Amino acid sequence: MTLRGSVSSALAPAGLTALAALAALAASCGGKAKPPPPPPAPVVAKKPPPPPPPPVCIPAGEPAMVARATADAGLVQFCVGDGADRNDCFAVELDTKTYQTVDAAPISQPPGLAIPAARVVAAPTEVSICVGEGDTDCKTLKPKVAKNAERPIEVAIDLNGTNAVLMLGDAEAGRGVAEVWSVTKGKKTATIKYAKGDNKCGTAQLLGDVIYISSSVCAGPAARGALYSLKGKKLGDVGGKDFGTYGTVGVQVTETQWAFLEEGGGVIALQDVRTGKVDKTIELLALWERPAGGADGGAPRGGGNPGESALVRGADGTLIVIAGAPSAGTVGVVDIAAGEVVVIPALPCKADVAPAPAPAPEPEPEPAPAAAPAAPAAEAAEAAGAEKP
């Protein structure tokens, strides 16, 4: 007993020392065990970004009439119509060569460098040329017309309304004339008989003090144009002898030089309208190159459908061509001095591309003849060659 007590007494100090160390360690840690680390946050998969919007496409049907065209140094705007109810408008950024849709139709660029100050109010028997917003400063011209005339007279005026050209007569019979009137004097000053051969139906435009008349074949998209002085003297053919002018409007480049787009959009003619001299022509073949996998197999083209394309001014020294069918909406930026063309191709809408013709359906089999009424058993057996029972 004495020995056991002595051993216990000998071990007591060491045990107390270990317990004291553990107590000191616990005290140094705040008296509690360190909590386990929090679980990692759940990984949330990031949603992929939405796909980019599909590229803007241009209706690929025919006809594709380009209208309401305008442009500046950085943007081209226009509308494309099918000649009926459909009319879609677009904008093209020249730097990025990207197309956008436009909700409202743009305002057409005026053909001349200056904004017109006069306007026309036409009726079947008379024409009023007005300056300003109201109707107080108007002058009325009363040409000789047929008593049964119903359609308003077709009229072209200059910027300030000082001269007018009235398209009169029976054009389809080859008796159409262009009457030149001095608005300030209120009288006719010249008569131009523009009809030549099959080109009988005319439209007029005043290019400053020069008259441009495009005479068409009336029933089809083909025309030839000529320039005349206010006295009715012919100054020259627009673009040359074989230059088509159906649907073409002159676009002013300088004081006397105007640009004319050939009716198929294949050539631009730059012409001094006062002398009638063609200064320069620029080929636009690159505007009409077709992809090898296209509907026409990549066949080369010299232009598009007559009268569907449009020409406007761009930045200084440039002209902009917007193509009609079959390259509707394709834009050509033309450097006048260099004669070079940068093409911005349009994307045709797939839904508007005519589908391949479906194969002809196989002829339906002729219906089987109706079954005959059932015969008595004996007759049936006889018919089958069996003996009667």
Side-chain angles (χ1 to χ4, degrees):
M1 294 300 291
T2 303
L3 180 61
R4 183 178 302 166
S6 301
V7 173
S8 301
S9 300
L11 293 176
L16 291 174
T17 303
L19 290 173
L22 291 173
L25 179 62
S28 66
C29 294
K32 295 183 180 180
K34 188 176 181 179
V43 178
V44 179
K46 293 184 178 180
K47 294 182 179 180
V56 173
C57 64
I58 309 294
E62 297 189 36
M65 310 292 296
V66 178
R68 296 281 191 150
T70 186
D72 55 26
L75 193 70
V76 178
Q77 298 181 74
F78 59 91
C79 298
V80 177
D82 61 359
D85 298 330
R86 183 165 185 171
N87 197 48
D88 302 285
C89 300
F90 305 91
V92 183
E93 293 184 358
L94 298 180
D95 289 341
T96 61
K97 298 183 179 181
T98 55
Y99 284 71
Q100 301 173 358
T101 57
V102 177
D103 293 333
I107 299 174
S108 301
Q109 183 187 85
L113 293 173
I115 299 175
R119 55 191 173 85
V120 174
V121 180
T125 59
E126 64 182 29
V127 174
S128 295
I129 314 296
C130 304
V131 179
E133 297 295 333
D135 297 333
T136 56
D137 192 7
C138 296
K139 294 191 176 180
T140 301
L141 310 179
K142 295 184 178 182
K144 294 181 180 179
V145 297
K147 294 181 179 180
N148 58 349
E150 296 180 354
R151 294 185 299 178
I153 300 169
E154 295 183 20
V155 186
I157 61 173
D158 58 17
L159 291 174
N160 299 317
T162 55
N163 295 289
V165 178
L166 282 57
M167 308 303 290
L168 303 170
D170 188 351
E172 294 187 1
R175 294 191 293 271
V177 296
E179 291 188 355
V180 185
W181 283 68
S182 170
V183 179
T184 54
K185 296 179 181 179
K187 67 177 184 178
K188 180 175 67 175
T189 58
T191 299
I192 301 172
K193 296 180 179 180
Y194 59 84
K196 185 177 180 180
D198 293 332
N199 298 319
K200 302 173 182 179
C201 295
T203 59
Q205 181 184 0
L206 267 164
L207 316 178
D209 56 359
V210 174
I211 302 167
Y212 160 44
I213 297 178
S214 177
S215 54
S216 71
V217 297
C218 299
R224 293 293 184 270
L227 302 172
Y228 300 88
S229 70
L230 292 175
K231 295 181 179 180
K233 178 183 177 182
K234 184 176 178 179
L235 303 174
D237 295 310
V238 169
K241 290 288 184 182
D242 299 322
F243 191 92
T245 59
Y246 181 80
T248 296
V249 176
V251 174
Q252 190 174 15
V253 178
T254 67
E255 182 181 356
T256 63
Q257 189 183 67
W258 289 67
F260 300 90
L261 180 65
E262 189 270 336
E263 61 188 26
V267 180
I268 292 175
L270 293 146
Q271 193 162 2
D272 187 315
V273 296
R274 288 185 179 173
T275 65
K277 179 185 176 182
V278 177
D279 298 325
K280 186 176 186 177
T281 57
I282 300 174
E283 299 285 343
L284 302 173
L285 298 180
L287 194 68
W288 303 100
E289 291 181 355
R290 308 297 292 158
D296 55 7
R301 295 183 63 99
N305 293 347
E308 293 186 5
S309 302
L311 177 69
V312 292
R313 291 178 299 276
D316 290 343
T318 65
L319 292 166
I320 304 292
V321 182
I322 304 105
S327 298
T330 292
V331 170
V333 183
V334 183
D335 185 313
I336 296 174
E340 298 175 349
V341 184
V342 175
V343 177
I344 304 176
L347 176 68
C349 297
K350 292 182 179 180
D352 293 324
V353 176
E362 297 181 1
E364 296 181 3
E366 296 183 2
E379 294 180 3
E382 185 178 5
E387 294 182 359
K388 295 182 180 180

